[in-house]
Amino acid sequence: MNQKKIDFAKKLIGRKFDESCSEELLQSILNGTHSLKENKRAGGCAGNAERVLPDNEMVIPSVCFSCNSTCEVLIYKDKNTGKIIRVEGDPDSPQTKGRLCSKGLAAKELVYSPKRLLKPLKRVGERGEGKWKEISWEEALDITAGKLIEYKEKYGPEGLALLEGTRRGWSRVYTRMVNLFHAPNHGAAGWAQCLWPRLLDCNLTYGGAQYGETFDFPNTHCVLAWGVNPATCWGVRAGDIMDAKERGAVLIAVDPYFSETAAKADIWLQIRPDTDMALALGFLHIVISENLIDEKFIREWTYGYEEVKAHVKEYTPEWAAGITGVPADKIRKAARVYAKAQAACVIRGAALDEIHDSVQVCRATSILAAITGNIGKKGGNIITSSRGDISQNSHDFIYSAQIPEEIKKLRIGYDRYPLLTQEISPVPSAHMPSLWETVLTGEPYPIKCAMIFGSNAMVSYTNSDKIKEAISKLDFLAVCDLFMTPTGEQADIVFPASSWLERNNVISSFQSSNSYTLIEQKAETIGESKHDVDIIIGLAKRLGLEKYFWEDSDRYYDYLLSPTGYTFEEAAKQRRLFKPITYHAYEKNGFKTSTGKLELYSKLAEHYHCDPIPTYTPSFQSFESTPELAEKYPLIMTASRHESAFRHSENRHQPHLLELVPKPYLYINPDTAGKLGIADGAKIKIESTAGQAYAFARYTEGLREEVVQGTIGWPGEYNVNKTVPWGQYAQGVGTVCCRGYLCRVEPVNEQVY
Amino acid sequence: MDNKNLYMVIDIDKCWGCMACRVACKQEHDMPAESSGNIDVVKIEQKDENGRLHCDFVPVMCQHCSSPACLEACPANAISKNEEQLVCIDQECCIGCGSCFDACPYGCVSLQAAAAGEKAQKCDLCISRREKGFLPSCEQHCLGGAFKSCHEEKMQELIRERYHYQTGSIVYVSSKLADLGKHLKLFAAGN
């Protein structure tokens, strides 16, 4: 960046800070005088003059699926060439009001990248050699389905690893095929690592597929952002939170790093990585001991309050301060603000999912929301299930019961990680680290044939060197992706998938809009690439499962929409289908737990041999739990940063995004770096008990001296996942702890480029 | 006062630092990835006198100065002020000499490549979008809603009782930055 801009910005903002506005807001909550004001910007963008299009342009309304925010967009096309000119936010979208993040704005480059896969490929050289032959779809599907059948017959259905990536609207169709094929070893890098711990918490606490993940930000007085940084990875929520702040809501952020969200917070709780449980228990102690609870809600709608009350008695703020590094008074203030706000809403992120007590710590935050009366309340966390269309997330849809019991029990991790592998799981699926170990060792049985849709496994899985080794042991690997990824390079067959701009989709997700089912419409076709749903249907036909599937993806969307009375085409004309959120829905339907109450004490967790009430345990690796290891590895790594330009390992093919964050950074405190002789920008090596990776140092005062933060998703030697250790996993669910393990860093004597 | 003056109020308290504005701008003006672009977001981490850490994001774009140095410096008379008081470069007249690039104290003129003959570009608050009924692209897409293009009356309303600074059409506001613009004023006064 031009130095003149930097100098100007520094001079502009100066060095004096006036925190009186923020402090007044916090005080008004504490003394009960807080009120919300009108958002002067509400609907700002929509109040425009009539918009006109140039004669040569046409517009296709759609939905960006760069991430699960799924923001409504307008895709502008040249009428003459048929090419996409640009992608913009939709000013008429009730959810986004026209906003769109960098990933959506640069999406044209996803479509027209010269690196896109255009045809199915068959390996002709050695594995990984990069020699390919273009083949027809018929041949690619025939070969792959043939191998799946062959290996199923040879080694049993458990001998197949059928994996996928982040949810993109086709995921449960893939699961449906896998389950109908009776293959128990299904899964994804992220399931025990992202979102599912939150969903499992909801399953245990509220019962059934009811999720408290709808945030009533427009009516909230307090946003508690716990382990989440929407500004870089959940754009739609970043907009919502800033709107809430504009109305006068306060923001509390829990993050080891002074993230974009923490920087905007009225209270920032800088915890040590992976000590969230101590903080949550400290919150519960304060709220209960100071009687900041909703007694009526607790009495009428919860189960196990007395047990929780007794349990958290020992978890004082002073105790929590010792573990988390956050001063006790600050914890007290934050807990009081959250509990005293007329309505408060907690938004949790992958940071809670990716630590050593994932489900349990999520439970602790739900218990906090429940006993303060913030569940189902206007301005709080609203519990939602289906929105009227057919839910792909039900066990009926995925035919999870179809797999015979004796085969289910062969699923890797079945007994050890019941919350992930058994029926309570959002998708009953295998424990991934254990599955890769099985591929490597052949124990307890051989897995020789794998298929991976929409996942760059070599980069996305933790302890990545092991994945590389395991993949080299496979007899057959089919990969489906948009680009030739490091994982695709190891494959026998590669399917070219279409991007979101080249496909239709029906999106009904609480991660997106609070109250709309959204319709994504196809705007382009690139080469012979196909919608994953159509590829899956093609495979399913060849596996003899035709009767369970649809003619093609469009008929599938008709099916999903059937209860609404619209076909896909009709719904697309409507653009979006409205289903308002319902406050206090439990008053009518109760909770779907065995007690019919919201379970503060979870009987279901107990049934699965998990803690019925969240309990503090130290990190697997820490100064406290493994002092000898800490001598060799004196820093705490949180391998976690999602830069705003990228989603996971994606988007590096898009020059306008790569330009924003051109290198893999390791964020490090300047004092720590100085002691280690690491200059800002210098190349460094990161080492842990699992392996090593490289990065470029980026100084930040926003981390404690003993903490470093890696950025995820970079391939090869820069893949920080290579340093994430296996061996110990979260209770019941098997989460790998990626945010809070020990490492050391050192400068690399190499020319910096 | 000419009531056609256009302002862009930038609320620094609302900038998430997400860079959507930068990508939106480059797309709107069809600028390649390697271009310096018309807008950048500067991240500034600093501790206050109590040792408390702050991190602010400052969108930096053409200020549309009241007395533009670029306009003075242009040997081809390609730079002028329009009726909205925005500083505009006439692409027909620009000779690509880079004088404006050198003259701009804020580094907000963009030369797509260092090669001589490349014409200068800079922010015009998306005149072509506004003619078609759209907001400037940075304003529409901003995840924090930090930008607000408006006329005099609205601008005055948005800066009321808040720290603010302006050298031209861009008006920075904040409720927190007590020094906002103070050092620039001293600088402009010749200190």
Side-chain angles (χ1 to χ4, degrees), chain A residues 274 356 616-622 624-625:
Chain A
D274 197 19
H356 87 284
Y616 172 76
T617 53
S619 298
F620 299 141
Q621 292 186 356
S622 70
E624 181 190 0
S625 56

Side-chain angles (χ1 to χ4, degrees), chain A residues 477-581:
Chain A
L477 173 66
V479 166
C480 179
D481 215 311
L482 278 75
F483 296 95
M484 182 55 81
T485 61
T487 311
E489 283 167 7
Q490 300 299 318
D492 295 273
I493 296 287
V494 179
F495 300 127
S498 59
S499 75
W500 63 263
L501 298 98
E502 303 145 42
R503 52 174 63 180
N504 294 331
N505 203 349
V506 172
I507 301 163
S508 186
S509 164
F510 52 76
Q511 286 179 290
S512 161
S513 167
N514 274 355
S515 36
Y516 290 91
T517 294
L518 307 173
I519 306 296
E520 175 183 326
Q521 289 192 85
K522 177 182 172 129
E524 184 51 297
T525 303
I526 296 300
E528 292 181 21
S529 67
K530 280 194 185 191
H531 192 326
D532 297 77
V533 169
D534 287 312
I535 303 171
I536 295 161
I537 290 172
L539 282 170
K541 282 178 182 166
R542 287 165 174 81
L543 298 176
L545 304 170
E546 193 168 358
K547 68 173 177 173
Y548 299 100
F549 288 81
W550 311 268
E551 191 186 329
D552 56 27
S553 53
D554 284 345
R555 298 294 84 70
Y556 162 59
Y557 294 122
D558 286 344
Y559 166 74
L560 289 184
L561 289 165
S562 54
T564 70
Y566 294 110
T567 62
F568 179 84
E569 209 174 311
E570 288 161 352
K573 280 185 195 139
Q574 301 271 328
R575 196 60 215 286
R576 55 188 85 85
L577 307 175
F578 183 59
K579 174 99 188 295
I581 55 176

